[in-house]
Amino acid sequence: MSSGTGDLNIENTNIKTASGVSLDEQQRTLVGSVLDVSVHYRTPGVLQTSDQNQLFAGRPSLKKLQLWDDEGVFEDPITKAVGRKQYEPQWYGLQAAFSEIERLHHEVTSGGNPIAMDLRTRYVVKGIGKEQTIDSKINIFYDKATGKITKVEDKWDGKLPDSSFQNAFRKINAVTVPKMVGVPKSNEEDAKLGNQ
């Protein structure tokens, strides 16, 4: 991997693992970056520290997304984004869609390839205040030679859709979100958004 963890400003460094599961430094960096972009971690009654926040935290950054292969894939029940031009807006779109994203629990259950993780996240939809808690099975696939993420599966309740109608909707979402969500063009622009 070309960038060290410090250069990436990965905030989720306290990776919880199931008994008997271990991760090497590269795997810890990948898991931390995915947790960073997807969820803001908040422990009730505890002041937050810098290593508790970030991608599944709604805190993407161009630097962290450089850990992804250009042809990487992100899929969950509402999208299947293929390639950088589709998956980057999905992560940046979390900030636009949700007023709160809170990781309630995470635990890495396998240190293989894919890296498997259980994740429980609470989301609050911006504007309407609707709250939803989602239990996910996350799979992080990566290329050992390049150290880059090739695919992330976010399986809500352990599942991804398998119907042609649902998959058509997921593909439409992957194409329309990039038209509505801007991705910073530079690290400076990203920093102004608070994502560095």
Side-chain angles (χ1 to χ4, degrees), residues 47-82:
L47 291 176
Q48 295 180 36
T49 60
S50 63
D51 69 347
Q52 289 180 315
N53 303 325
Q54 306 274 319
L55 234 233
F56 266 108
R59 299 283 308 273
S61 73
L62 294 175
K63 287 180 181 179
K64 289 176 193 143
L65 289 168
Q66 288 305 307
L67 290 171
W68 286 61
D69 185 86
D70 288 341
E71 301 305 316
V73 175
F74 170 74
E75 63 178 312
D76 67 11
I78 59 173
T79 196
K80 183 172 183 178
V82 179

Side-chain angles (χ1 to χ4, degrees), residues 93-101 123-131:
L94 291 173
Q95 296 172 330
F98 301 105
S99 58
E100 293 180 45
I101 304 171
Y123 298 90
V124 178
V125 179
K126 223 178 233 186
I128 62 172
K130 180 175 176 10
E131 187 174 312

Side-chain angles (χ1 to χ4, degrees), residues 103-176:
R103 185 178 64 238
L104 302 173
H105 168 80
H106 83 278
E107 183 177 64
V108 176
T109 57
S110 171
N113 193 358
I115 300 165
M117 177 171 53
D118 292 338
L119 182 67
R120 173 174 279 168
T121 310
R122 183 182 70 86
Y123 298 90
V124 178
V125 179
K126 223 178 233 186
I128 62 172
K130 180 175 176 10
E131 187 174 312
Q132 179 74 41
T133 299
I134 297 176
D135 288 306
S136 296
K137 299 284 186 189
I138 307 293
N139 289 317
I140 304 168
F141 298 81
Y142 63 99
D143 182 320
K144 286 187 179 189
T146 65
K148 296 202 178 225
I149 294 170
T150 56
K151 183 177 186 177
V152 171
E153 296 174 331
D154 180 0
K155 299 179 177 184
W156 299 356
D157 295 323
K159 300 176 209 143
L160 285 173
D162 58 4
S163 79
S164 57
F165 175 75
Q166 289 171 313
N167 284 324
F169 174 77
R170 292 168 70 217
K171 289 178 184 175
I172 290 168
N173 186 25
V175 173
T176 57

